[in-house]
Amino acid sequence: AQGALSFLVPLPPGEAMPMGPCPVQEVALSVAVMTGLCWAVGRYLTRSDLMLRCAARLHPADSFRDEAWDEVRLGLEGCVAAATAIPDEESDVKAKGRQSAKRRFATELLFITVHNGTVSVLALLAWLLGSPSLALHAFALEVAYEVFDSFSLGLLRLEPETLIHHIVSPICILCSTQTEVDFRVLCHLCICIDLSGAILGYSKFLLRYAHVSTTKVYQNLTLVYALLRVVGPLVDTVIIVWTEVRTRGGLFVLGGHLITEDGSHTHLVATDWTQLYFWAMAVLNSFNIYFFYVIRARARLPPHVVASLERQGAISGGSRGS
C-alpha cells in the first residue's frame, strides 16, 4: 500500500536521494552515447517493417490498412516526396499534400511507442534499484530522441509546437540533473510523461492505420492524459519547486545564493539555472494541459469527422508527447 501511494504521490520514505548536481562531463557523455544509440536503432526501425510485423501479431489478420505496408515499401523519404509531389496548378490539393506530408508515418509512430516504453522501463528500474546513475541514462535517452526526431522530421515536417517541445524538454531534463530533488520524484515524472507518450504514439498509429473506434480511442486517451500528463506532472512540479525553494532558503532568493564573506556582509551571486528550469516546466505543463483539452474535444466529435481528419493528417496532436 505504501509503495502504491508513493507512486501516486512520489514522496519516498527514508533518507532523500538527490539527483545531483551531476558532473557536466558525466551528463554530456551519457547524452552523447544515448544519442548515438537512439540514432542507430531509430534509423533501422523506422526504415524496416519489423515493428509493423510485431504490431500485426497483436491484432486480427488484415486489421491494418494497406497504406501502412505501402509506406514501409516506399520508405520514409519516398513517402515525404510522394506527399509533396503535387502539381502547382492544383492549389487545394497541393495544400492538402503539404499538410499530409507533415504527419508522422506508421513506423515513426511505432518507434515513439518503443522509445518511450524503453525510457519508462529504465526509469522504473532506476527507482526500484535506487540507482540515480541509471536514471541519468534514462533521462539522457529522452534527450536523445528529441535530437533524433528533430533531424528525422527535418524542416519540412517539423511543426512549431513540435520544435518548441524539442527545445524545452531537453532544457528541463538537463536542468533536473543539477537539482537536489530526490531522483525518484524525477523518475516518477519521467514515467508519467513517457508511458503516456507510448500510449499516445500507438493510439495515433491505430487511428490512422487500423480499423478502430476513434471515439473510444480518444475517450481512453482523455483518461490517460488526465492522470499521466496533468495530475501526475503537476504533483511532481509542486514537489520539485518546493524542494528547490527550500534548498535555496526561500522564494525571494531563488536563482542565487547568499554568500557570507566576513560574517556581516553578503551579496547575491549571478542568476543560476533554476529560473530556466522553472520556466521550462511551466511551458511543458501548459502544453500538457492544452493538449488534454484538445484530446477531450476530439473525443466529443462525431466519429466520421475524427476518422477523416486523422487519415488526412489534419490534426496531428502536436508533438510526439502531446
Side-chain angles (χ1 to χ4, degrees):
Q2 187 178 29
L5 181 61
S6 66
F7 184 78
L8 295 175
V9 181
L11 291 173
E15 185 177 354
M17 303 177 66
M19 180 66 202
C22 297
V24 175
Q25 297 88 341
E26 182 180 349
V27 175
L29 178 61
S30 181
V31 170
V33 171
M34 288 301 173
T35 300
L37 178 63
C38 182
W39 198 287
V41 175
R43 290 279 297 183
Y44 171 74
L45 289 180
T46 56
R47 285 160 175 77
S48 73
D49 64 350
L50 177 60
M51 293 184 296
L52 194 56
R53 286 189 285 109
C54 291
R57 292 178 177 271
L58 302 176
H59 299 275
D62 300 326
S63 59
F64 296 152
R65 298 186 175 95
D66 292 338
E67 180 184 359
W69 302 101
D70 292 340
E71 287 180 1
V72 173
R73 286 190 288 268
L74 191 58
L76 289 181
E77 292 80 3
C79 290
V80 175
T84 55
I86 308 295
D88 291 338
E89 60 272 13
E90 299 177 10
S91 58
D92 292 339
V93 178
K94 185 175 182 179
K96 291 181 180 179
R98 286 196 301 267
Q99 187 179 59
S100 178
K102 284 182 175 292
R103 68 181 176 85
R104 297 178 189 273
F105 298 106
T107 55
E108 292 177 313
L109 292 171
L110 290 174
F111 184 60
I112 290 174
T113 301
V114 171
H115 169 269
N116 285 31
T118 301
V119 173
S120 300
V121 171
L122 289 177
L124 179 59
L125 287 175
W127 186 345
L128 296 177
L129 297 176
S131 174
S133 60
L134 181 57
L136 173 61
H137 297 321
F139 303 158
L141 184 57
E142 178 66 20
V143 174
Y145 181 86
E146 311 296 349
V147 177
F148 167 77
D149 194 53
S150 297
F151 283 95
S152 179
L153 292 176
L155 294 178
L156 180 62
R157 296 194 294 150
L158 193 60
E159 297 180 327
E161 63 269 28
T162 304
L163 177 61
I164 294 173
H165 178 275
H166 285 5
I167 293 174
V168 176
S169 179
I171 291 175
C172 193
I173 294 170
L174 295 175
C175 286
S176 72
T177 65
Q178 304 305 307
T179 69
E180 296 184 19
V181 176
D182 194 305
F183 87 96
R184 291 167 290 187
V185 175
L186 300 177
C187 285
H188 180 271
L189 178 59
C190 182
I191 293 169
C192 286
I193 295 299
D194 281 274
L195 179 58
S196 60
I199 295 171
L200 176 63
Y202 196 72
S203 296
K204 297 293 284 185
F205 167 77
L206 293 178
L207 285 168
R208 292 176 186 169
Y209 299 101
H211 304 284
V212 296
S213 169
T214 56
T215 299
K216 184 177 180 180
V217 170
Y218 272 117
Q219 287 175 345
N220 292 336
L221 282 178
T222 301
L223 178 60
V224 169
Y225 238 74
L227 294 177
L228 299 180
R229 282 296 177 99
V230 178
V231 177
L234 288 179
V235 170
D236 293 328
T237 299
V238 171
I239 296 173
I240 291 170
V241 172
W242 177 75
T243 301
E244 289 301 292
V245 169
R246 183 187 60 179
T247 300
R248 281 157 175 72
L251 182 63
F252 296 104
V253 297
L254 199 60
H257 296 278
L258 290 174
I259 300 178
T260 302
E261 295 182 341
D262 56 6
S264 60
H265 177 69
T266 62
H267 69 273
L268 195 64
V269 302
T271 300
D272 64 6
W273 49 264
T274 310
Q275 293 175 341
L276 179 62
Y277 184 29
F278 286 2
W279 169 82
M281 285 193 297
V283 172
L284 292 179
N285 283 330
S286 299
F287 264 51
N288 291 336
I289 294 172
Y290 167 74
F291 284 113
F292 164 74
Y293 283 106
V294 170
I295 289 174
R296 191 181 69 169
R298 293 180 192 178
R300 298 177 179 179
L301 288 174
H304 68 279
V305 174
V306 180
S308 176
L309 292 174
E310 285 290 346
R311 293 295 305 279
Q312 296 174 12
I315 47 178
S316 63
S319 62
R320 71 178 178 87
S322 303

